[in-house]
Amino acid sequence: QVQLVESGGGLVQAGGSLGLSCVASGSIVSINSMGWYRQASGKQRDLVATITSGGIANYADSVKGRFTISIDNAKNTIYLHMNSLKPEDTAVYYCNTDKIQTTTGFIINLWGKGTLVTVSS
């Protein structure tokens, strides 16, 4: 069974830094791209950043210059390093992959269960 597991959330003061990790586990052959999305309480889930297996990254305007996404293909893991955090960054952060090739087929649009990031003012 293929799954995404996030870790690294927590409480941080405004202006601080925090790192998130997401590991894809299971019978994985290849991953097209992975990314981070976030959902604040009462709001829709929004893109934070995505990265392809080739390392091409894309960021939401709200996090450009503050967040950095990276990928370790050998470990099927992505990271999100967040600097200069603001209270408005408070949300549940979800890991996503658009397409995973497994030993038995393909999985489309897989989500992790999320990890909570709280930024205090």
Side-chain angles (χ1 to χ4, degrees):
Q1 180 180 0
V2 177
Q3 59 180 352
L4 302 178
V5 179
E6 304 98 334
S7 62
L11 174 64
V12 63
Q13 287 189 328
S17 299
L18 200 63
L20 305 180
S21 300
C22 172
V23 180
S25 63
S27 301
I28 298 169
V29 175
S30 65
I31 299 174
N32 185 49
S33 70
M34 297 179 72
W36 292 97
Y37 292 73
R38 66 186 181 187
Q39 187 168 18
S41 181
K43 296 189 176 181
Q44 67 180 18
R45 190 174 298 185
D46 292 325
L47 168 74
V48 175
T50 61
I51 189 165
T52 68
S53 58
I56 298 173
N58 176 57
Y59 296 93
D61 288 342
S62 59
V63 306
K64 281 181 181 177
R66 300 189 298 123
F67 291 11
T68 301
I69 189 170
S70 59
I71 189 167
D72 185 333
N73 290 307
K75 296 181 179 179
N76 291 327
T77 300
I78 60 168
Y79 306 92
L80 185 69
H81 190 69
M82 304 180 288
N83 290 325
S84 302
L85 283 161
K86 307 173 182 179
E88 50 264 44
D89 294 317
T90 295
V92 177
Y93 284 69
Y94 294 92
C95 181
N96 170 269
T97 178
D98 64 341
K99 185 168 70 176
I100 288 181
Q101 182 180 5
T102 72
T103 56
T104 57
F106 291 88
I107 298 175
I108 305 298
N109 199 27
L110 181 66
W111 291 92
K113 294 183 178 179
T115 185
L116 177 62
V117 172
T118 303
V119 184
S120 62
S121 58

